Amino acid sequence: FFSSRRRHTRLQGDWSSDVCSSDLIQNINFSNLLLFFHYINYIFTLKKRFVSFYNVIYFLDKPQYDIVHAHYGFSGKIVADFKSIGLLRKSKLITTFHGYDFRVEDGYYEKLFRTGDLFTVNTRYSNLKLLMLGCPRKKVRILPVGFDTQLFNTASFTSRNNHGGFSLLFVGRLYAIKAPDFFIQVCESIKLHYKIPFHAYIIGDGDMFLQLQEMIQQKGLNDNISLMGSRKQAEIHEYMQ
């Protein structure tokens, strides 16, 4: 497992943040030392950040892996860079895209799409977005996100409203790509055109939090929408039930 969203690389759970680079360099063999100098030239050519330099030291002293699974296209792009200089060259690369990583310029993932063996997305919409970025169709698989069905059953459904209406729920990061503002517009339309009693809950945090708060006030939806902020998984389960 490799993710650039985390501070350190994690593979098989044996990475420790207190391991210093000098400890890792001690066990580098001659073959990997050549790769190391190759990478020095590589980072100066492409002006790579120090984090990429630090990550490559960790990989130099590790055996080849059968499969490397990268979460987010940004992480897959880093692994593709490693493979281009000989690291992980025998490893199959699977990259899972989650949506946030679609917001890039044309050609950004060109090397990843060429080098990667398989790409997974969770919806047909995400599949279309990935193809539009230039990913070969034959390399893409739709893998829906699963959930524990034991957590949700009709017998456990309870309304959080005391007015006899129904509840709406939005869960996700409050960024433009998630369209939480559109959710508020839907709530406004229900109130204005259908006159149906309801209450909506927005769970999540992000750059749009204050904007959404102001939007709710301007549209007079304070009595209909609760902006909940971040919540723990157990609480989110309760709201979903």
Side-chain angles (χ1 to χ4, degrees):
F1 170 79
F2 180 76
S3 176
S4 62
R5 290 172 64 86
R6 298 180 182 273
R7 182 180 176 186
H8 300 292
T9 307
R10 295 197 300 116
L11 282 174
Q12 297 184 346
D14 59 354
W15 175 254
S16 174
S17 60
D18 59 358
V19 175
C20 66
S21 58
S22 60
D23 294 331
L24 296 170
I25 292 175
Q26 288 177 1
N27 296 320
I28 295 175
N29 59 37
F30 179 75
S31 175
N32 283 337
L33 189 61
L34 291 178
L35 287 174
F36 179 77
F37 283 114
H38 190 175
Y39 190 75
I40 292 294
N41 177 67
Y42 177 73
I43 61 175
F44 277 109
T45 301
L46 299 184
K47 298 181 180 179
K48 285 291 180 180
R49 297 175 303 171
F50 181 74
V51 64
S52 295
F53 172 78
Y54 197 79
N55 282 340
V56 78
I57 294 177
Y58 175 73
F59 281 109
L60 286 175
D61 194 37
K62 295 295 183 291
Q64 289 290 333
Y65 295 92
D66 293 325
I67 298 173
V68 175
H69 185 187
H71 279 270
Y72 292 90
F74 312 117
S75 302
K77 187 174 185 294
I78 293 175
V79 178
D81 287 340
F82 288 172
K83 289 174 74 67
S84 71
I85 63 169
L87 293 174
L88 305 172
R89 58 188 179 278
K90 296 182 180 179
S91 304
K92 297 293 185 180
L93 173 57
I94 300 175
T95 303
T96 296
F97 281 78
H98 293 278
Y100 179 77
D101 37 12
F102 290 143
R103 298 187 295 174
V104 296
E105 65 273 13
D106 291 341
Y108 182 81
Y109 293 124
E110 181 179 354
K111 181 186 294 184
L112 173 60
F113 292 153
R114 185 173 64 253
T115 306
D117 298 281
L118 184 69
F119 302 91
T120 68
V121 293
N122 60 359
T123 64
R124 286 183 293 177
Y125 173 76
S126 295
N127 178 46
L128 178 61
K129 295 288 287 185
L130 196 58
L131 295 178
M132 291 173 63
L133 285 174
C135 184
R137 185 183 299 272
K138 64 181 181 180
K139 290 186 176 183
V140 185
R141 297 292 185 273
I142 298 177
L143 185 63
V145 176
F147 62 92
D148 186 353
T149 57
Q150 298 299 314
L151 294 173
F152 308 100
N153 58 78
T154 54
S156 66
F157 285 174
T158 57
S159 175
R160 289 181 172 272
N161 298 325
N162 298 320
H163 45 60
F166 65 94
S167 300
L168 297 173
L169 177 64
F170 175 99
V171 180
R173 294 193 308 275
L174 304 185
Y175 293 104
I177 195 171
K178 299 292 186 179
D181 51 336
F182 182 72
F183 179 76
I184 293 176
Q185 292 175 22
V186 170
C187 292
E188 180 186 32
S189 179
I190 293 174
K191 181 176 181 178
L192 294 178
H193 302 295
Y194 297 97
K195 311 296 182 181
I196 301 174
F198 74 95
H199 196 88
Y201 302 86
I202 299 177
I203 297 178
D205 203 354
D207 296 341
M208 294 182 68
F209 188 92
L210 295 179
Q211 176 186 337
L212 298 176
Q213 194 173 51
E214 183 178 351
M215 186 177 179
I216 292 170
Q217 293 175 351
Q218 290 178 346
K219 294 182 177 298
L221 295 171
N222 288 311
D223 293 335
N224 299 98
I225 303 177
S226 296
L227 202 55
M228 309 297 294
S230 298
R231 288 290 186 271
K232 295 181 179 180
Q233 287 289 332
E235 294 180 82
I236 294 175
H237 291 162
E238 291 180 3
Y239 277 90
M240 288 183 171
Q241 290 176 341

